[in-house]
Amino acid sequence: MNPLKPTLADLGPAVKTTALHSLPLMARGKVRDLYAVGTARMLMVASDRLSAFDVVMKAPVPGKGRLLTQMALFWFDLLRDVVPNHLTGEAPESVVAPDEVAQVAGRAMLVKRLAPLPCEAVVRGYVAGSGWKEYAQSGTVCGIALPPGLTTTQPLAEPIFTPARKAAAGDHDENISFAQLEGLLGAARAAEVRDTSIRLYEAAARYALTRGIVIADTKFEFGLDEHGTLTLMDEVLTPDSSRFWLADELAAGRIHALDKQPLRDWLSSTGITGGPEQAALDLPEAVILGVHERYARACAMLCGDASGVRA
């Protein structure tokens, strides 16, 4: 089997939902199941669920959760000198019952419980997605004026920070101005989040470029530990939260994204892009394999052999 071009049968069974009896369930997100480990720690288990347009699809992508976890662990380790992160350094398998190890192996992180900040920290090095739509209409991205005549394949002179207010489950996050972020967090903390996010993006983008990938944009999430220290949390720099583009394609003026674009394209072709009708759709095998192939390629290019990365 070619690991980057398997058949659906090659991928094995998917883990759409975990069911741990040894730990209390705290919440289920679009992708991750969260379990309490005492009062100070939390087990984050990345399922194989697949979402688009804020809707979880009926069909999962086998192996997706393991790819996400491997990439997140790699980046947490690589960027640990930029900002503290929420990893405890302990093995996730150590806090579950023996009969539950298979559910968490390779797809879980044992992390510190933090006080999450009510924002997403988005950094953009290119104008893409919703940012491109706004720029085409008004010459701005999240209210930030940009030079005229930019294209989607042209990097910005400097990355820009465009925060969003976190929404309730099922709703869209709301883009906000930096002044609004200051209102949420206070001026000093907002500046710390902005400056830290840009440093993270720049460090990650420099590394990714050496591996043939351009990080067009990404989003970070932060929390505060018991000492009030800003701490990177959730997941980081995966195809679920970032736009990864092949550098050689971009140099030729084309965008080839290593993310869930096959799903977005297929949904757009059906005319169903949101709501319960989307959630009920049966995905073609080619779409599932297309998403897996792009995630696996991103993981292989960026992480190489990440087996030694600390958990």
Side-chain angles (χ1 to χ4, degrees), residues 30-31 49-57 61 64 68 219 238-244 257-267 278 283 287-288 290-295:
K30 289 194 288 288
V31 173
R49 296 190 291 271
L50 178 65
S51 69
F53 306 113
D54 290 318
V55 174
V56 176
M57 305 302 300
V61 175
K64 174 175 173 279
L68 292 176
K219 64 180 180 181
T238 74
D240 270 6
S241 62
S242 313
R243 284 188 173 87
F244 294 145
L258 300 182
D259 60 13
K260 60 183 80 169
Q261 196 60 45
L263 173 61
R264 297 191 196 102
D265 290 344
W266 183 78
L267 288 171
Q278 177 187 312
L283 291 181
V287 171
I288 298 172
V291 172
H292 182 276
E293 185 274 333
R294 293 185 186 214
Y295 277 55

Side-chain angles (χ1 to χ4, degrees), residues 173-214:
D173 294 332
E174 174 195 359
N175 291 333
I176 59 175
S177 67
F178 185 71
Q180 289 174 298
L181 184 67
E182 290 179 315
L184 280 177
L185 306 181
R189 185 70 77 184
E192 184 184 18
V193 169
R194 177 196 61 203
D195 297 346
T196 301
S197 299
I198 290 174
R199 286 200 304 273
L200 286 167
Y201 173 82
E202 290 177 334
R206 283 194 301 270
Y207 168 78
L209 197 56
T210 70
R211 307 305 295 263
I213 287 179
V214 168

Side-chain angles (χ1 to χ4, degrees), residues 14-235:
V15 176
K16 188 170 184 181
T17 303
T18 60
L20 304 183
H21 59 77
S22 62
L23 298 172
L25 179 68
M26 297 172 63
R28 294 193 197 278
K30 289 194 288 288
V31 173
R32 287 168 181 79
D33 296 341
L34 308 180
Y35 294 88
V37 182
T39 59
R41 296 176 298 168
M42 179 170 64
L43 188 68
M44 297 178 58
V45 189
S47 75
D48 294 330
R49 296 190 291 271
L50 178 65
S51 69
F53 306 113
D54 290 318
V55 174
V56 176
M57 305 302 300
K58 181 166 68 172
V61 175
K64 174 175 173 279
R66 288 194 174 91
L67 291 169
L68 292 176
T69 301
Q70 183 177 354
M71 282 185 274
L73 289 173
F74 174 82
W75 286 114
F76 278 129
D77 187 69
L78 188 72
L79 300 170
R80 66 191 185 280
D81 293 332
V82 178
V83 65
N85 63 62
H86 66 167
L87 297 177
T88 65
E90 302 164 278
E93 295 84 356
S94 67
V95 297
V96 299
D99 64 340
E100 298 170 329
V101 168
Q103 290 189 65
V104 304
R107 63 172 68 244
M109 296 185 289
L110 187 57
V111 303
K112 305 167 190 173
R113 292 175 69 172
L114 306 172
L117 297 183
C119 63
E120 290 192 335
V122 182
V123 183
R124 304 172 188 265
Y126 289 74
V127 183
S130 62
W132 175 254
K133 293 178 183 177
E134 180 186 335
Y135 175 76
Q137 293 175 348
S138 62
T140 64
V141 173
C142 297
I144 300 172
L146 296 177
L150 294 176
T151 68
T152 54
T153 58
Q154 181 180 351
L156 298 172
E158 299 287 344
I160 59 174
F161 175 71
T162 59
R165 190 197 316 266
K166 288 189 68 66
D171 292 335
H172 293 280
D173 294 332
E174 174 195 359
N175 291 333
I176 59 175
S177 67
F178 185 71
Q180 289 174 298
L181 184 67
E182 290 179 315
L184 280 177
L185 306 181
R189 185 70 77 184
E192 184 184 18
V193 169
R194 177 196 61 203
D195 297 346
T196 301
S197 299
I198 290 174
R199 286 200 304 273
L200 286 167
Y201 173 82
E202 290 177 334
R206 283 194 301 270
Y207 168 78
L209 197 56
T210 70
R211 307 305 295 263
I213 287 179
V214 168
I215 303 178
D217 57 39
T218 193
K219 64 180 180 181
F220 303 108
E221 295 195 37
F222 296 96
L224 305 179
D225 69 8
E226 68 274 20
H227 306 295
T229 302
L230 189 71
T231 305
L232 187 61
M233 57 174 274
D234 195 52
E235 63 101 55

